Amino acid sequence: MTDLTAQVIRAHGGLDRFQQYETATVDFRSGGGLWPLKGQAGIFDRATVRIDLHRQHASHYPFTAPGLRTSFTADRVAVENDRGEVQSERLAPRDAFKGHTLETPWDDLHVAYFAGYAMWTYLTSPFTFVSPGFRTEELPPVTEAGETWSRLKVTFPEEIATHCREQVFYFGEDGLLRRHDYTPEVINGGPAAHYSYDHAEFGGIMVPTRRRAHPLGEDGAVVRDIELVTIDIENVDFA
């Protein structure tokens, strides 16, 4: 574990506290240009996601209709009813994005897969960085918004579904997450810069309650007048 990795984990609540919990249940709203572009406008106007903290699993609900929910793992995604009866499912779900362009519409299982791995990635970072198979490397700091931000390049293991294998996380002098760069491969729209704001404490864990993802131009500049995805968190219950 790098010194920076240890520092940012402490700043977000500490590994000991995180390991006391098994799940996180999050009430949120998500907007931005991605959802209408994919034919899914309003899909997460108001929703809840429950994630397992120590294995990669997520469930969004209600999903498309009352009484329906998603079940996401890296190798399977499904829509189920409240009784656990499968309404639709897809094995090897990442394969279903092959050949997609930015404008390719998504079906409900595409959405369930993308939203499942994305929210799991966001809500378990930076604690997962010390999990088996993860590798971290400290990069030179940068100055942005009048602050000096430390940076970690994180390489995710193959068995974890996420945006891409290598991602870069930026942290303020307080150790809290400020920005997260990645290329969402399933969208096939190029790299993105995902900013985090308004951290709040839930059960001793620091969580950014406002997130905004913007495209990165060919010159590496952030295209701030385009919001690909917005996430506003209203409550987090760690249990």
Side-chain angles (χ1 to χ4, degrees):
M1 186 192 311
T2 68
D3 291 343
L4 179 57
T5 304
Q7 175 191 341
V8 301
I9 287 175
R10 285 195 301 270
H12 285 83
L15 194 59
D16 288 346
R17 184 181 297 274
F18 181 79
Q19 290 179 335
Q20 293 174 3
Y21 299 122
E22 297 294 329
T23 64
T25 302
V26 181
D27 300 320
F28 73 99
R29 293 173 286 112
S30 181
L34 177 67
W35 306 120
L37 184 66
K38 294 298 187 181
Q40 297 285 348
I43 186 78
F44 293 124
D45 278 353
R46 187 169 295 277
T48 298
V49 62
R50 182 182 184 274
I51 68 164
D52 290 352
L53 299 176
H54 306 297
R55 70 179 185 110
Q56 195 174 29
H57 177 264
S59 178
H60 282 82
Y61 56 92
F63 184 73
T64 70
L68 295 181
R69 66 191 186 200
T70 71
S71 178
F72 155 81
T73 63
D75 55 6
R76 175 184 177 272
V77 67
V79 177
E80 304 171 345
N81 63 24
D82 286 343
R83 297 182 297 279
E85 297 166 340
V86 175
Q87 308 299 294
S88 59
E89 73 173 339
R90 179 173 289 151
L91 304 181
R94 202 175 189 94
D95 291 347
F97 295 88
K98 289 180 178 177
H100 279 208
T101 68
L102 182 60
E103 293 80 19
T104 303
W106 280 354
D107 63 25
D108 293 344
L109 292 172
H110 289 122
V111 174
Y113 176 80
F114 173 79
Y117 85 61
M119 291 299 281
W120 188 90
T121 298
Y122 305 151
L123 292 165
T124 59
S125 298
F127 304 101
T128 46
F129 298 172
V130 294
S131 298
F134 283 79
R135 299 195 308 273
T136 60
E137 176 187 347
E138 187 169 353
L139 301 177
V142 297
T143 300
E144 186 169 342
E147 298 181 344
T148 299
W149 292 349
S150 301
R151 295 188 298 160
L152 273 179
K153 181 174 76 173
V154 180
T155 303
F156 286 68
E158 289 291 335
E159 64 269 19
I160 295 295
T162 188
H163 292 299
C164 57
R165 289 295 135 226
E166 290 187 354
Q167 305 178 30
V168 178
F169 294 77
Y170 301 61
F171 301 94
E173 294 180 4
D174 56 4
L176 296 179
L177 181 67
R178 295 291 194 274
R179 173 175 164 178
H180 175 194
D181 288 1
Y182 50 79
T183 299
E185 294 170 341
V186 300
I187 296 176
N188 197 22
H194 183 140
Y195 287 86
S196 298
Y197 310 94
D198 299 344
H199 290 74
E201 181 182 331
F202 300 92
I205 304 296
M206 297 300 293
V207 179
T209 60
R210 190 163 62 95
R211 291 174 172 268
R212 299 293 184 268
H214 307 275
L216 283 170
E218 294 183 1
D219 59 355
V222 179
V223 185
R224 289 190 173 271
D225 58 343
I226 299 176
E227 292 183 336
L228 294 171
V229 174
T230 68
I231 301 170
D232 292 286
I233 288 176
E234 297 174 349
N235 186 61
V236 183
D237 181 19
F238 288 97

